[in-house]
Amino acid sequence: ILMATKRGASLTRRLLAFGRQDLLSGKTCDLVQVIRETAVLLKPLLTERIKLEISVPDHGLYVPCDGDVISQILLNLATNARDAIPDTGNVWIRAAAENDKQVSLSLIDNGCGIPEEILPRIFEPFFTTKPQGQGTGLGLSMIAGLVQQMHGVIDVESVAGHGTKFDITLPRAAAES
């Protein structure tokens, strides 16, 4: 009962966050700092069997959003990556300035990959490949919605048996606010 209650509360929080577009307006965060802070949370989530590697510039990369949104995106993608790695593996998080107007954020894993026939559906709400009770199918649709609210673009490349790469391109902000 406690586990079902926690799952319900988590689902409710995610649905509310997804519906609140004001979460993203008027705020700016340093993507580099958020990635470094989130990495601390990711290491126990990924367990000892998965190595986490971070590649970010030494200077800040500012994007127009709340840092909690970026953390939520990274946590969700990393959880999916963990579930896709059956034994040992790697997860890489990379961020870079694409130009003076855009920033890229990537999460890459060397897990089982996503079958080609499923790729077109992965951002659909309530679509999941996980067994009943192990996934809501809201994670990737929520991420896509958040990225869209930030005026960004999300893309995925995957080959079954060879891993997955999520690329997010976000507008670059001038400085922290």
Side-chain angles (χ1 to χ4, degrees):
I1 293 171
L2 182 59
M3 185 179 233
T5 303
K6 286 181 181 179
R7 236 187 245 144
S10 174
L11 176 60
T12 302
R13 275 193 306 276
R14 288 188 283 164
L15 286 169
L16 288 171
F18 183 63
R20 276 192 307 244
Q21 295 200 14
D22 62 327
L23 261 177
L24 306 174
S25 63
K27 297 183 179 183
T28 302
C29 73
D30 179 0
L31 186 60
V32 172
Q33 180 182 349
V34 172
I35 290 169
R36 289 182 176 146
E37 291 171 357
T38 306
V40 175
L41 302 172
L42 292 177
K43 288 183 182 180
L45 175 81
L46 295 174
T47 70
E48 292 178 4
R49 66 184 181 85
I50 300 171
K51 183 178 179 187
L52 176 63
E53 295 184 34
I54 306 292
S55 176
V56 294
D58 293 331
H59 56 83
L61 292 174
Y62 295 97
V63 293
C65 77
D66 187 318
D68 290 340
V69 173
I70 299 295
S71 284
Q72 181 180 1
I73 289 169
L74 290 172
L75 286 163
N76 195 295
L77 290 175
T79 299
N80 288 349
R82 178 202 62 203
D83 294 346
I85 298 172
D87 296 313
T88 60
N90 295 297
V91 169
W92 297 269
I93 296 175
R94 298 179 180 152
E98 291 294 302
N99 52 48
D100 58 343
K101 293 185 179 189
Q102 293 180 316
V103 171
S104 67
L105 170 64
S106 301
L107 189 136
I108 305 144
D109 70 65
N110 61 350
C112 64
I114 302 168
E116 186 177 347
E117 65 272 10
I118 293 175
L119 269 176
R121 297 194 62 202
I122 65 167
F123 294 114
E124 290 178 14
F126 304 107
F127 177 78
T128 183
T129 58
K130 295 179 181 177
Q132 188 171 6
Q134 291 185 19
T136 61
L138 288 175
L140 291 176
S141 64
M142 187 173 55
I143 288 171
L146 291 170
V147 169
Q148 186 178 26
Q149 287 177 35
M150 290 185 278
H151 306 287
V153 176
I154 186 167
D155 190 33
V156 61
E157 295 175 27
S158 187
V159 176
H162 296 284
T164 302
K165 178 181 182 185
F166 284 92
D167 283 314
I168 299 170
T169 305
L170 297 171
R172 193 169 183 179
E176 190 172 17
S177 62

